[in-house]
Amino acid sequence: MPKRIIEPLRAYSSKHKFKVGDALPNVNLYENSPNNPVSASELYKGKKGVLFAVVGAFTPGCTNTHIPDYLSLYDKFKEEGYMISCVAVNDPFVMAAWAKSTGAEGKIRMLADPCGEFTKTLGMDIDCTKLLGGVRSHKYSLVVEDSIIQSINVDPESTGLQCLLCIQNMRVVDKADVKR
């Protein structure tokens, strides 16, 4: 029977502070409350998943395109054992409200990076002071297995399309085609 996999991509800018094969940094993110820290380095321990970052919760492109696209493939990701997480430089209450308003609760882990520490550690911070009031994150996605980055998709032009590449590159292959 064919198996769905995420085909690895390794497109990223050299200015970023991470590469394929690196472990996720030991930085806390927050889920639903400031009292619920989630260690990024432990998030995917013994698991595989997709972690994608957006400029901000409730921004039009992220709300109307990114979240719905990930939700539309939730069952496929789950079937293959992938956990989906979204990170944004927002507070945990905003991320929780965004999860509720988009129907992502229980499907996509909405993780807040309130001070941008995770984002800055990866070198993915951008100055959005004029438009959004402070530092935010570039849009990107990571395919992660056992906390190790397997694939990186960075949006080089801030179009928002690169953080969807792990979805666009899902393809059906026979097990015989998978070379590891």
Side-chain angles (χ1 to χ4, degrees):
M1 175 169 203
K3 180 177 172 141
R4 284 178 175 43
I5 64 164
I6 298 176
E7 184 174 310
L9 285 175
R10 289 169 173 79
Y12 65 97
S13 167
S14 61
K15 75 176 187 166
H16 307 301
K17 299 176 183 175
F18 61 100
K19 62 186 180 312
V20 169
D22 285 352
L24 289 175
N26 187 20
V27 174
N28 280 338
L29 298 166
Y30 297 86
E31 190 169 28
N32 299 321
S33 161
N35 298 322
N36 191 19
V38 176
S39 170
S41 63
E42 296 293 319
L43 183 63
Y44 290 102
K45 271 286 193 226
K47 301 173 190 161
K48 61 183 180 177
V50 174
L51 182 147
F52 69 99
V54 295
V55 173
F58 293 103
T59 57
C62 301
T63 300
N64 299 324
T65 303
H66 303 124
I67 298 299
D69 282 353
Y70 277 97
L71 287 173
S72 73
L73 288 170
Y74 169 75
D75 290 331
K76 290 178 185 176
F77 279 114
K78 184 177 176 183
E79 180 181 304
E80 293 302 319
Y82 285 89
M83 177 176 73
I84 306 169
S85 302
C86 175
V87 174
V89 180
N90 283 109
D91 69 68
F93 301 115
V94 168
M95 293 298 285
W98 193 37
K100 187 174 185 172
S101 75
T102 59
E105 284 181 305
K107 295 179 179 179
I108 298 174
R109 292 187 74 174
M110 301 299 248
L111 303 171
D113 185 14
C115 297
E117 185 180 1
F118 177 79
T119 301
K120 291 172 187 174
T121 299
L122 294 178
M124 296 302 293
D125 51 307
I126 55 174
D127 183 357
C128 291
T129 305
K130 287 184 180 180
L131 190 60
L132 299 172
V135 170
R136 296 297 180 117
S137 177
H138 278 283
K139 292 175 248 177
Y140 64 91
S141 64
L142 306 174
V143 176
V144 180
E145 191 167 335
D146 198 23
S147 296
I148 304 298
I149 299 168
Q150 303 295 313
S151 176
I152 301 168
N153 305 290
V154 176
D155 183 4
E157 298 174 10
S158 299
T159 61
L161 302 177
Q162 291 292 326
C163 68
L164 298 174
L165 278 178
C166 65
I167 290 175
Q168 296 165 0
N169 286 292
M170 284 188 80
R171 63 185 184 101
V172 177
V173 296
D174 292 322
K175 288 181 183 179
D177 291 342
V178 179
K179 295 179 181 127
R180 294 195 185 241

